[in-house]
Amino acid sequence: MCGIVGYIGKQAAASVLLDGLRRLEYRGYDSAGISIRNGEGFQTLKRTGRVQDLYQEAMRAPDAGTIGISHTRWATHGGVTNQNAHPHLSHDGRLSLVHNGVIENYGLIKRELIGKGVEFESETDSETLVNLIALLYAAELQDPVNEGKPREALMKALRAALAQVEGTYGIALLCADMPDLLFGARKGSPLVIGVGNGENFLASDVTAFAGRTQNVVYLDDGQLAVLSQEDFSVTTLDEVAISPVVDTISWDIEDAELGSYTHFMQKEIFEQPMALENAMRGRFSQDGSTAQFGGLNIEPRELRQVDRILFLGCGTAWHACLVAEYLIEKFARIPVEVEYSSEFRYRNAPLEKNTLVFTLSQSGETIDTLEAQREAQRKGYRVLGITNVVGSTIARENDGGIYQHSGPEIGVASTKAFTAQCHIAAMLGLYFGRMRDMSYSDGCTMVSALRKAPGLIAQALSQAEKIEAIAKKYARFEDFLFLGRQLMFPIALEGALKLKEISYIHAEGYPAAEMKHGPIALISPECPTVAIALKGEIYKKSLANIQEIKARRGPVIAITDAGKEFPQDLADEVIHLPETHEVNHAVLVSVPMQLLSYYIAVERACDVDKPRNLAKSVTVE
Ligand code: F6R
């Protein structure tokens, strides 16, 4: 949430920053701004609207300065106005700051600053922070010890200010007195250094400098960074010097570009066969009877002692947790619980001794999941993570885990990351199952089934045109129901979430048999139902549920693998999928759901990749 890009180098900073902001826009898109160090002060431009609007304005008279900071905002404190957009200048014009996070005690600090004569222009907590730093900096400059040492003075002021604030921050800061330095700090909000050749970057995620450098340093909470053109240093809030580890980003610029697609969501839906291949690569044993994971940091002997697994996640990741619950309970017979991260962290749930905790997060930065992970660790539980973003905070802080390797997911609505999580969940079911009662031959059957998933998804994707036609027909409706039973229940929930978040249509997911206990009252010719009816134990029951909807004149879009067996007149539309092992059902059925939502949103002329009120990577509570 909120994107930060800072640059110091030899090129004109404006175009580098705006380019980076465009890539980070998925983190927030209600306003954007840029500050370039120029002459004695800053040239600052900020406005509501999209980065593109800012870009056009900035490029009318581009500034040649080679150091600057920029921001794309997702409003927390203060409405969406030009004044509230970042960067924020200090009252004395000496500092310019961009901030991601929330300063919880800003009200108190602001009152004190007003008492000292500071005037404010915005309603934001961030302006309070920059003014606090500025006031402390001015005081430090008066101290004879700091004479001629503005860098030392600013670092002292920064440390003192950050010690006073409560809440979360990822900041980039410029000082008019130091035209060759860029400052940054983080606590709770991500911040990374892009290490270039004669240039350096500070950003809230690596996509900001994709194509410019592959070298990255992930800052930890409580760390401060100072960047110059040729160098950078990292220290803690208590002035301990850190020897930073420079990692290499494994993907390149094309992965973060649209290419021939119209939207990132569309691109990411079509990337799913590859995303699943990547999730499986090197993760099956040589004899093809089980899964293997390199980064769990836990001995199989210890894993066999696990009596219960707890999965934590938010939103779509929470749906993947439900998929994991079903598959692990079914194939490994280990009791699994699923909780929303945000509920878990405040609930003080009693956990059994031999509980293993998993956090699921595409971004690896979702604050609720990060804090839930920390809470479980504080209680002494071992926490493993399933994350997509390498080097993300959740990935760095957990005790081990599994990287999804889905590539960058830029569309705000998660698609390929979700199916990769579901596929990894199925592999975990296999892995834990083989440690317990699953036979060698059942293991082999499951491995060969899992390997077929990318091909099955490609078959589902080949129906895109047909699904687009269905979407056009149903795009005018304002209410939808999504029904699925057992493993398909979380897929129904996910289908409903996808539709509501990108097309603003009211949609609800239910286990089909629950209809009769209330939701059936919603059925009418104006409320279509997307009903999943896969062959198996409850196929006939699913058909009966569809009958109940038809009897009440509700339009039905059915998704089935029953081929010609599916009764011809039962549904208004039928999307046929290939029959496969149950381990592939979650990923396979997700695909038509995603396509349906995508095409409905396009038909309704919605901004698919940047739905209203949303932002990817929710780093505020
Ligand atoms: C919906 C969506 C969100 C995220 C949720 C958790 O399409 O993307 O519901 O799933 O914000 O995000 P991560 O997985 O990054 O923790």
Side-chain angles (χ1 to χ4, degrees), residues 82-152:
N82 289 342
Q83 284 85 356
N84 289 340
H86 298 220
H88 290 287
L89 297 189
S90 57
H91 61 285
D92 56 5
R94 256 182 169 144
L95 303 180
S96 178
L97 171 122
V98 289
H99 168 222
N100 177 12
V102 176
I103 305 299
E104 287 163 4
N105 58 342
Y106 85 104
L108 192 69
I109 299 173
K110 188 170 180 176
R111 276 196 295 282
E112 282 172 16
L113 295 178
I114 290 172
K116 290 178 180 165
V118 175
E119 287 180 11
F120 284 81
E121 288 184 358
S122 79
E123 304 154 308
T124 63
D125 51 340
S126 314
E127 194 188 9
T128 304
L129 178 59
V130 72
N131 277 321
L132 175 64
I133 302 169
L135 223 61
L136 293 165
Y137 175 53
E140 290 292 346
L141 287 177
Q142 300 299 316
D143 188 334
V145 200
N146 296 324
E147 205 186 323
K149 297 180 191 159
R151 176 175 173 162
E152 280 78 357

Side-chain angles (χ1 to χ4, degrees), residues 3-188:
I4 289 176
V5 197
Y7 174 76
I8 179 161
K10 298 186 181 81
Q11 293 187 35
S15 64
V16 178
L17 293 174
L18 288 161
D19 193 35
L21 272 195
R22 273 202 283 213
R23 288 185 216 288
L24 284 196
E25 204 176 10
Y26 63 86
R27 297 184 70 99
Y29 31 86
D30 57 44
S31 46
I34 180 167
S35 231
I36 307 290
R37 176 73 176 69
N38 152 311
E40 292 300 299
F42 308 104
Q43 193 188 54
T44 301
L45 197 61
K46 54 187 196 169
R47 49 167 299 160
T48 59
R50 295 292 164 88
V51 172
Q52 184 55 24
D53 305 327
L54 179 76
Y55 182 86
Q56 276 166 2
E57 209 171 320
M59 285 304 143
R60 256 181 243 140
D63 193 287
T66 58
I67 169 169
I69 55 175
S70 61
H71 188 265
T72 173
R73 181 171 187 243
W74 187 86
T76 54
H77 289 72
V80 179
T81 63
N82 289 342
Q83 284 85 356
N84 289 340
H86 298 220
H88 290 287
L89 297 189
S90 57
H91 61 285
D92 56 5
R94 256 182 169 144
L95 303 180
S96 178
L97 171 122
V98 289
H99 168 222
N100 177 12
V102 176
I103 305 299
E104 287 163 4
N105 58 342
Y106 85 104
L108 192 69
I109 299 173
K110 188 170 180 176
R111 276 196 295 282
E112 282 172 16
L113 295 178
I114 290 172
K116 290 178 180 165
V118 175
E119 287 180 11
F120 284 81
E121 288 184 358
S122 79
E123 304 154 308
T124 63
D125 51 340
S126 314
E127 194 188 9
T128 304
L129 178 59
V130 72
N131 277 321
L132 175 64
I133 302 169
L135 223 61
L136 293 165
Y137 175 53
E140 290 292 346
L141 287 177
Q142 300 299 316
D143 188 334
V145 200
N146 296 324
E147 205 186 323
K149 297 180 191 159
R151 176 175 173 162
E152 280 78 357
L154 184 58
M155 288 303 277
K156 283 181 193 165
L158 200 49
R159 287 198 168 92
L162 296 178
Q164 270 190 54
V165 297
E166 289 164 16
T168 56
Y169 52 80
I171 58 169
L173 179 77
L174 292 178
C175 178
D177 303 338
M178 288 167 272
D180 49 2
L181 293 178
L182 173 58
F183 298 82
R186 76 157 272 182
K187 183 186 153 206

Side-chain angles (χ1 to χ4, degrees), residues 314-317 361-363 366 412-414 498 501:
C314 303
T316 288
S361 174
Q362 184 285 129
S363 63
T366 300
V412 165
S414 183
K498 283 293 87 96
E501 69 181 328

Side-chain angles (χ1 to χ4, degrees), residues 314-318 360-366 369 394 409 412-414 421 494 497-498 501 615-618:
C314 303
T316 288
W318 183 78
L360 255 77
S361 174
Q362 184 285 129
S363 63
E365 298 294 349
T366 300
T369 304
I394 289 177
E409 191 180 67
V412 165
S414 183
Q421 286 166 352
E494 174 60 8
L497 178 64
K498 283 293 87 96
E501 69 181 328
K616 210 165 178 75
S617 190
V618 182

